[in-house]
Amino acid sequence: MSARLDVRGLRKSYGALAVTDGVDLTVEAGEIHALIGPNGAGKTTLISLIAGEVRPDAGTILLGEADLTAAPVHRRARAGLARSFQITSTIPAFSVRENVVLALQGAGGPSFRLWPAPRAERARAERARALLARVGLEGRGDHPAAALSHGEKRALELAMALAAEPRILLLDEPMAGTGPEEGRAMVDLIASLKAACGILLVEHDMDAVFRLADRVSVLVAGRIIASGTPEQVRADPAVRAAYLGDETATGAAP
Amino acid sequence: MRALALLLALFAALAVVPLAADTYVVALVTRAMIFALAAVSLDFILGGAGLVSFGHAALMGIGAYGVGILMEEGTREALIAFPAAMAAAGLFALVTGAVSLKTRGVYFIMITLAFGQMAFFVAQSLSAYGGDDGLSLAARSTVAGQRWLKSPVTFHYATLGLLILITALCALILASPFGRVLRAAKENERRVRALGIDPYPYRLVAYGLAGAFAGLSGALLANLTEFVSPAFLSWHRSGELIVMVVAGAMAASALGVRAGGAGRLGGAVLGAVGVILVEEGLAHLTEHWRIVFGPLLVLLVLLGGWRGRRA
Amino acid sequence: MSTTLLLVQVLNGLQLGVLLFLVAAGLTLVFGVMDVINLAHGVQYMLGAYLMVTATALTGSFWLGLPLALVAALVLGLVLERLVIRPLYGRDHLEQVLATFGVILFVNEGVKMVWGAAPLAIPMPDALSGSIRLMDGLNYTVYRLALLGAGLLVAGGLYLLVTRTRSGMLLRAGASNAPMVSALGVDIGALFAKVFAFGAMLAAFAGAMAGPILSVEPGMGDGLLILAFVVIVIGGIGSIRGAFVAALLVGLIDTLGRSFLTDLLKLVLPPSDATQVGPALASMSVYLLMACVLFFRPRGLFPAPA
């Protein structure tokens, strides 16, 4: 079930440096909202603020009706806020399937069963198989997560995020480091998800952003300087001056 | 499968000891198995959940004092004293764990060390129960009124039975969905949180269970030596238990048993038996056996590279 | 409980606090700067006392023996750093615990073999023996006052060293970003070795100074090491200021608890219960303090910036 993410007046400073400087941002149900900006603009900090790893100095974060501003990471995740990490984050010693099973366990709420639960485990394994198939990892379930290729790890991360049937998905540079083929597959995959949930997409790959996004916001020095449809943003002179000019020239820079 | 084979081979070897050895060796091996039980309970949280507890001897000692104090107060029955010892040690682990588990890494090591030392000093100040000198037990515990534990061989098999039971229990828990959370949080806590799971309550439950299991080993140790003293809780002994777990894990991985996961509990058994026997052997050679054992430990770490470099 | 007795115990508590600080300072620096947990720090305190025994016996003088013992401790610190600690940089904390635990076993046993297991004494220097009248009915040993003063002086000097000098600046920079400092052309390895040996010397100084008022025996550093851990955990790992505040706090609470808690409990409990509970509670007091501090501030009173 999708829901609206509503971020208002978010601020975070480290000493005198305002890394997030009054950001307002919404992600509507079923849309892909892309966040772009030069390196050091504060994109990852913003994701961390929304995911709950960093506490804001001011502002509110609402998911549907629920105020998550003060909730710890795990409670936000339980409320329907799932994420992928910029630097791939899985459980390397687990098999690919066990990674997804763990994610399904998280989605199922706390369980203190100390003994094996074969029936519930079989159900989870079945759902894990379906999720892995959805992200193109069918047949890879028994491999150690550490042995996957970079692109496959990114797909596994996505499967883990999807396990919770999230209402909002935070994707921090899902395309980073993938080859051209894997990148195309990832774009198709992300496009197929938007019926299920709203997506906040942080991405450097401009082709992908303009193919996928319903709306684009541009973050520069902790502030959103422009927001609108891809065409509007592309045409925005401030954006061209501050950002697009050099980025489009280098193409799909990391 | 190799992990299971290692465990079965170890248990089989321990089972035949009384058939082939004299009373002295049987008592030595029983002692080794008691420490193996404590090492398994430590490995359950250390290897299983990544919690480096440096106060495990205190949990063992609380179990030992539980038996000693109850006997002093007139309760000799193991079916009462052993569960009470486990409950006392488990409760101490839950209360200190509630604070310690709020911290990470080296803080956790130091805090568990400090709480262990706290229990040590309290044992020292129990003047009604021997204080610094310790407390001699009138006899070994009875089981359902029977004096079975008096026989070294029966005691040996009772200890082996409990060791097998607790090892199997720890392995099952680590393999369960609960154990999966522990193992995952050890590898990547941030990821686990982002999946909607707070590892804290899982770790606390595991820590309490490990405390109860360590308490059981202490109850056995008190019966074996028919004596308890504050030295049971000393931090040197906590250090020795860590040595057993880590040396055992290294030995196990040298034998091709995958380190990590439930499989490594066999390593803890191997490590405990090995360390007790090496100590005993060195002590036969020289009263200053630590002058050899200390550098051995340093070499083990410097040459072994057990878990490699931190990320 | 008279005011005089209270004052004496406050002075004793401060004196324990100062000793704790000297040991904890090295521990917190080594951990804060190098990310190494060094259990062997307690044996460096013990070695300081034993080296002092030998050095005073050789020279026949406290004042000649002290610098000799300190230089020897510094050299031993450098040797330990080179042989055991250096290979442990960047390794797992568990491995550091194990290796330095091995060092403790070795040194404790070695000390027994070289100096024997029986407690030894260091003669008090003539100039500092005797006691001084602080007020009516309050006589206090000159040596203990000197120990307190020396500890405070070292604490002040250390604070200036860390906050005001180039080495101190490098040290703090190295702690927060070692690769960056090394990229600036500073030899991080040499800096770490210096810090380690300096910390060892501080601990040895504490041991040497404590020698004349305590008995010098194998394992004497173990108890102090654990109290020093409590101190740096309460103070916040890596913080000299935190170590100072926490050391005085722990010294005072431990000393006053042992002296007065039983009597205080007698006010609310039957005397027989109080004599049972008092000592147990007193020996728990610093750990309870630690638990309370950590419950509210998991990174200590003065957490080092992340």
Side-chain angles (χ1 to χ4, degrees):
Chain A
M1 184 187 58
S2 203
R4 183 172 193 262
L5 175 71
D6 193 350
V7 173
R8 279 183 220 150
L10 214 54
R11 284 177 199 283
K12 178 71 193 176
S13 304
Y14 292 106
L17 181 69
V19 187
T20 305
D21 194 3
V23 167
D24 295 309
L25 186 81
T26 60
V27 180
E28 303 295 337
E31 81 162 344
I32 296 181
H33 188 158
L35 187 68
I36 61 174
N39 284 324
K43 299 187 296 289
T44 292
T45 300
L46 185 55
I47 291 276
S48 298
L49 283 165
I50 296 172
E53 285 183 339
V54 178
R55 288 295 156 86
D57 300 330
T60 55
I61 298 163
L62 299 173
L63 181 62
E65 299 297 310
D67 184 348
L68 297 181
T69 313
V73 174
H74 61 94
R75 203 153 301 147
R76 293 184 201 213
R78 302 268 303 121
L81 207 55
R83 71 173 295 188
S84 74
F85 289 83
Q86 183 178 2
I87 295 168
T88 309
S89 180
T90 59
I91 315 294
F94 280 17
S95 71
V96 170
R97 181 179 303 110
E98 195 166 20
N99 267 284
V100 182
V101 167
L102 177 74
L104 288 164
Q105 228 176 289
S111 156
F112 291 95
R113 284 187 61 161
L114 299 172
W115 55 93
R119 191 183 304 173
E121 286 285 273
R122 263 200 303 280
R124 285 194 202 105
E126 205 47 52
R127 286 197 53 206
R129 203 188 320 275
L131 279 163
L132 287 173
R134 188 162 165 198
V135 300
L137 286 177
E138 55 269 87
R140 305 289 275 163
D142 292 322
H143 289 249
L148 293 183
S149 76
H150 182 78
E152 287 176 321
K153 281 182 188 160
R154 308 244 51 140
L156 172 57
E157 272 230 56
L158 210 53
M160 291 169 79
L162 289 175
E165 295 178 8
R167 305 159 82 178
I168 293 288
L169 197 52
L170 308 173
L171 298 181
D172 197 355
E173 299 197 24
M175 243 70 77
T178 55
E181 191 138 334
E182 289 171 333
R184 266 193 299 280
M186 184 61 79
V187 168
D188 293 341
L189 182 57
I190 294 172
S192 76
L193 298 179
K194 86 177 186 174
C197 56
I199 296 174
L200 181 63
L201 173 70
V202 172
E203 188 47 64
H204 271 293
D205 182 334
M206 288 306 134
D207 291 341
V209 165
F210 287 113
R211 289 239 303 282
L212 284 168
D214 300 298
R215 278 195 298 156
V216 177
S217 291
V218 184
L219 193 70
V220 176
R223 291 166 168 278
I224 289 187
I225 61 163
S227 190
T229 64
E231 292 69 31
Q232 287 168 338
V233 168
R234 215 196 293 257
D236 191 308
V239 176
R240 297 191 77 91
Y243 180 61
L244 284 182
D246 52 346
E247 275 291 330
T248 40
T250 55
Chain B
M1 278 310 99
R2 276 199 186 181
L4 193 61
L6 171 66
L7 264 176
L8 290 180
L10 275 170
F11 291 147
L14 292 168
V16 299
V17 165
L19 306 180
D22 58 18
T23 330
Y24 165 76
V25 174
V26 171
L28 177 66
V29 173
T30 306
R31 184 182 161 79
M33 289 194 298
I34 291 171
F35 277 95
L37 175 48
V40 164
S41 74
L42 176 60
D43 200 21
F44 172 60
I45 49 173
L46 195 157
L51 304 172
V52 182
S53 164
F54 209 137
H56 219 63
L59 302 168
M60 212 180 163
I62 289 170
Y65 264 93
V67 167
I69 289 174
L70 279 176
M71 197 165 295
E72 193 74 1
E73 301 298 332
T75 306
R76 251 184 93 179
E77 177 53 51
L79 295 181
I80 299 170
F82 279 37
M86 291 176 74
L91 196 66
F92 181 81
L94 277 181
V95 171
T96 57
V99 177
S100 315
L101 289 168
K102 297 247 175 217
T103 67
R104 288 286 156 274
V106 71
Y107 275 87
F108 184 79
I109 298 177
M110 292 192 203
I111 288 155
T112 49
L113 178 61
F115 278 131
Q117 203 63 5
M118 175 178 95
F120 171 81
F121 284 124
V122 170
Q124 251 187 357
S125 66
L126 289 176
S127 50
Y129 301 107
D132 210 7
D133 298 328
L135 177 66
S136 284
L137 272 61
R140 287 189 179 165
S141 299
T142 55
V143 182
Q146 305 296 310
R147 298 164 73 177
W148 285 329
L149 296 184
K150 219 178 151 194
S151 146
V153 172
T154 319
F155 195 172
H156 179 95
Y157 284 114
T159 305
L160 178 59
L162 286 173
L163 173 63
I164 293 174
L165 179 74
I166 298 298
T167 308
L169 209 55
C170 288
L172 276 180
I173 294 173
L174 283 180
S176 74
F178 176 89
R180 179 182 293 129
V181 173
L182 291 179
R183 289 181 287 124
K186 170 193 170 190
E187 300 252 339
N188 190 345
E189 174 164 353
R190 189 171 172 219
R191 200 5 150 176
V192 171
R193 285 184 189 282
L195 291 174
I197 305 172
D198 181 6
Y200 178 81
Y202 292 83
R203 288 176 170 155
L204 188 57
V205 170
Y207 197 66
L209 282 173
F213 299 155
L216 177 62
S217 73
L220 286 168
L221 188 61
N223 267 289
L224 180 75
T225 55
E226 301 184 36
F227 174 69
V228 293
S229 84
F232 281 34
L233 295 82
S234 84
W235 70 282
H236 285 110
R237 186 158 282 179
S238 296
E240 276 175 9
L241 286 169
I242 295 183
V243 171
M244 292 171 183
V245 168
V246 174
M250 287 171 69
S253 63
L255 291 173
V257 174
R258 191 171 55 93
R264 54 173 288 159
L265 292 173
V269 176
L270 186 63
V273 173
V275 167
I276 294 281
L277 294 184
V278 166
E279 279 185 7
E280 186 75 14
L282 287 176
H284 268 292
L285 294 177
T286 162
E287 111 189 67
H288 300 293
W289 58 273
R290 289 189 183 84
I291 207 90
V292 184
F293 194 70
L296 270 182
L297 268 185
V298 177
L299 284 179
L300 188 79
V301 171
L302 295 190
L303 303 180
W306 174 52
R307 285 211 299 210
R309 305 187 81 79
R310 248 191 339 261
Chain C
M1 161 191 5
S2 67
T3 325
T4 342
L5 187 57
L6 182 65
L7 270 175
V8 167
Q9 294 299 353
V10 166
L11 283 172
N12 285 345
L14 288 176
Q15 178 206 310
L16 173 61
V18 160
L19 280 183
L20 275 175
F21 171 71
L22 290 175
V23 176
L27 205 57
T28 206
L29 275 183
V30 167
F31 186 76
V33 177
M34 296 174 248
D35 198 22
V36 169
I37 174 168
N38 176 25
L39 296 184
H41 203 68
V43 302
Q44 283 156 341
Y45 165 84
M46 176 185 70
L47 276 176
Y50 272 103
L51 290 170
M52 188 68 177
V53 168
T54 301
T56 47
L58 278 179
T59 60
S61 151
F62 181 90
W63 303 109
L64 290 176
L66 186 60
L68 202 61
L70 290 185
V71 170
L74 191 70
V75 171
L76 282 180
L78 285 170
V79 170
L80 180 64
E81 196 273 343
R82 187 67 198 84
L83 287 183
V84 180
I85 305 296
R86 193 172 299 179
L88 292 175
Y89 293 142
R91 295 276 283 269
D92 196 276
H93 287 143
L94 183 55
E95 294 183 308
Q96 298 167 351
V97 162
L98 276 179
T100 54
F101 182 65
V103 173
I104 295 183
L105 295 182
F106 176 77
V107 177
N108 273 344
E109 202 63 41
V111 159
K112 253 186 232 167
M113 292 169 74
V114 174
W115 280 281
L120 301 174
I122 297 173
M124 203 170 276
D126 288 338
L128 299 178
S129 58
S131 53
I132 187 172
R133 221 189 91 183
L134 293 181
M135 55 180 275
D136 263 348
L138 173 55
N139 290 319
Y140 201 71
T141 328
V142 177
Y143 187 82
R144 285 176 178 268
L145 281 180
L147 174 54
L148 189 54
L152 290 175
L153 266 178
V154 172
L158 198 58
Y159 186 72
L160 289 180
L161 187 72
V162 172
T163 54
R164 297 276 189 277
T165 66
R166 189 180 136 78
S167 314
M169 190 197 71
L170 280 178
L171 205 132
R172 282 179 293 144
S176 57
N177 195 343
M180 171 60 85
V181 173
S182 139
L184 293 174
V186 177
D187 183 350
I188 271 289
L191 181 69
F192 280 8
K194 271 187 222 154
V195 171
F196 187 88
F198 183 67
M201 196 180 70
L202 281 181
F205 179 64
M209 291 297 285
I213 51 171
L214 300 173
S215 64
V216 179
E217 53 191 343
M220 66 184 279
D222 296 0
L224 205 75
L225 170 78
I226 295 177
L227 277 185
F229 273 146
V230 172
V231 163
I232 70 173
V233 165
I234 290 177
I237 292 175
S239 163
I240 290 281
R241 188 165 46 137
F244 185 70
V245 172
L248 294 189
L249 206 59
V250 166
L252 280 174
I253 287 184
D254 194 56
T255 309
L256 295 180
R258 282 175 206 282
S259 315
F260 300 117
L261 199 60
T262 305
D263 289 335
L264 280 177
L265 284 173
K266 280 183 183 157
L267 299 176
V268 290
L269 288 174
S272 62
D273 289 355
T275 47
Q276 282 286 317
V277 176
L281 207 57
S283 55
M284 287 170 72
S285 56
V286 296
Y287 304 101
L288 292 179
L289 171 73
M290 178 189 76
C292 291
V293 168
L294 286 177
F295 194 78
F296 295 105
R297 308 191 63 152
R299 290 167 55 79
L301 293 176
F302 298 93

